[in-house]
Structure formats: structure tokens, C-alpha cells
């Protein structure tokens, strides 16, 4: 995989973390793990997280609180999030999640094939988006350089004051011949 960003899996149950890692391992992506919302936020803020699989209900900071915080911070607001819940379909939760820009709400137990499909799509789309942003920044810098060069063209370098410039004389003329011409 060309990128060093990883997928962060967040759940307060070790067995769920293990199951999710096992389901995603065939994709070959770098995987990280966290067991709390606080730990997840710390890892996300450190950077290098390309996708977040996040349990909704955890002790302390809940999954929705993590997403709320992420959406307020510029560097994390565009990271795709898959919320995981083992409590079934809940209209209130679904509404709140989608208002926060969550990509999808996945019910536990998770179907490994469906999870891999969603993760592959979201992660790859995010990586393409980041590559496009880098290319746009590169092109803008080139345009800026080109514009500045056109507005402020480079001046030719002036000769150094110590440079000896030979005097120009007509071919074959000697100092005495030049004196005759002046009189």
C-alpha cells in the first residue's frame, strides 16, 4: 500500500477489536486500535488516520462525541467514519450520525464481506481525495511561481564594478591615429 495512513478501529471490547482486525486483514491496509473515545481522539489528532471504525457506545467519551469533536477540527473533519453499534437500529442515533457526516452505521455482529467492501471503498476514496488535494496545492504553487515571474521578470545581472572592460577601438587604429581624427 503506497500510503502510510491507517484505519483506526475503536471499541471497548477486545474480542470485537480482534474480530474487526481479522475481518479487515485481507485488505492489507495498516490497522490501528484504540479502546476508548479519548484514546481514539489522541490518535486521530496525531495524524495518519485515513478511516475510523468507531463503536457508538463506550464508557467515557462515546463514538458520537468523538465524531462531534473531529468535525470541529480542520485537520480531522474530512476523515470518513463508520459507526458500529450492537444495539440495533435506532432512528435518533441514525439521524444524529448522518447529521455529523458519518459515512455509514454498521450493525454488530458485522458481516466481514460487507465491512471489507465499505472500508475498501471509503478508504480508497479518501486516499484519492488527499492525492487530488496535494496535486491542486502543487499546481497552485506552480501557477503562483509563474505569475510572480511574469510580474517581476528577472533583471540581467549587472557587471561587477571591478570588471575590466576593454576600450573599444576601430580595427587597426592606434592611439596616434585617433588623435589625428579629432583635430
Amino acid at each position: 500500500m503506497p500510503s502510510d495512513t491507517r484505519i483506526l478501529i475503536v471499541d471497548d471490547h477486545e474480542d470485537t477489536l480482534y474480530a474487526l482486525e481479522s475481518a479487515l486483514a485481507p485488505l492489507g491496509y495498516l490497522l490501528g486500535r484504540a479502546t476508548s473515545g479519548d484514546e481514539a481522539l489522541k490518535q486521530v489528532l496525531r495524524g495518519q488516520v485515513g478511516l475510523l471504525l468507531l463503536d457508538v457506545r463506550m464508557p467515557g467519551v462515546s463514538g458520537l462525541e468523538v465524531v462531534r469533536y473531529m468535525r470541529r477540527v480542520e485537520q480531522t473533519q474530512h476523515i470518513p467514519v463508520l459507526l458500529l453499534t450492537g444495539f440495533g437500529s435506532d432512528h435518533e442515533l441514525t439521524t444524529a450520525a448522518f447529521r455529523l457526516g458519518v459515512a455509514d452505521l454498521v450493525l454488530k455482529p458485522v458481516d466481514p464481506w460487507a465491512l471489507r467492501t465499505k472500508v475498501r471503498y471509503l478508504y480508497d476514496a479518501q486516499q484519492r481525495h488527499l492525492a487530488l488535494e496535494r496535486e491542486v496545492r502543487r499546481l497552485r504553487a506552480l501557477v503562483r511561481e509563474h505569475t510572480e515571474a511574469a510580474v517581476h521578470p528577472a533583471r540581467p545581472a549587472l557587471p561587477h564594478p571591478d570588471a575590466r572592460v576593454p576600450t573599444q577601438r576601430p580595427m587597426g587604429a592606434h592611439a596616434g591615429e585617433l588623435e589625428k581624427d579629432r583635430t
Side-chain angles (χ1 to χ4, degrees):
M1 181 173 65
S3 176
D4 61 347
T5 59
R6 68 188 186 289
I7 296 168
L8 182 61
I9 304 168
V10 186
D11 200 292
D12 56 323
H13 297 288
E14 279 292 323
D15 55 338
T16 304
L17 285 172
Y18 178 75
L20 293 169
E21 288 170 337
S22 297
L24 297 177
L27 295 176
Y29 297 139
L30 294 173
L31 302 175
R33 62 167 39 201
T35 56
S36 70
D38 285 332
E39 187 182 343
L41 279 173
K42 287 176 187 173
Q43 288 192 43
V44 167
L45 291 172
R46 281 187 213 123
Q48 301 305 315
V49 173
L51 176 69
L52 190 62
L53 269 68
L54 182 63
D55 187 23
V56 174
R57 291 187 175 94
M58 294 181 288
V61 179
S62 74
L64 282 178
E65 290 173 51
V66 169
V67 177
R68 276 189 196 98
Y69 184 81
M70 287 174 57
R71 297 308 185 229
R72 290 190 309 248
V73 177
E74 186 178 349
Q75 76 187 54
T76 63
Q77 64 186 346
H78 297 295
I79 296 174
V81 176
L82 285 174
L83 277 181
L84 306 167
T85 183
F87 294 97
S89 184
D90 176 354
H91 179 70
E92 223 176 275
L93 171 63
T94 303
T95 302
F98 288 126
R99 279 192 181 141
L100 290 170
V102 168
D104 202 359
L105 193 62
V106 179
L107 299 177
K108 297 178 195 174
V110 174
D111 173 7
W113 183 85
L115 181 65
R116 280 191 296 270
T117 302
K118 289 176 185 191
V119 165
R120 182 184 305 119
Y121 173 80
L122 289 170
Y123 184 82
D124 291 349
Q126 176 70 358
Q127 295 307 303
R128 284 190 303 274
H129 174 77
L130 293 173
L132 282 172
E133 281 184 346
R134 285 189 299 272
E135 183 66 11
V136 165
R137 281 193 301 274
R138 186 186 72 78
L139 290 172
R140 283 184 177 153
L142 285 173
V143 167
R144 192 171 30 258
E145 288 173 16
H146 180 71
T147 304
E148 288 173 4
V151 172
H152 305 289
R155 294 183 180 167
L158 295 174
H160 191 276
D162 290 340
R164 305 269 187 236
V165 179
T167 57
Q168 298 287 324
R169 295 186 181 157
M171 291 203 65
H174 296 290
E177 293 174 3
L178 289 175
E179 288 297 319
K180 289 179 199 174
D181 290 340
R182 287 189 195 162
T183 57

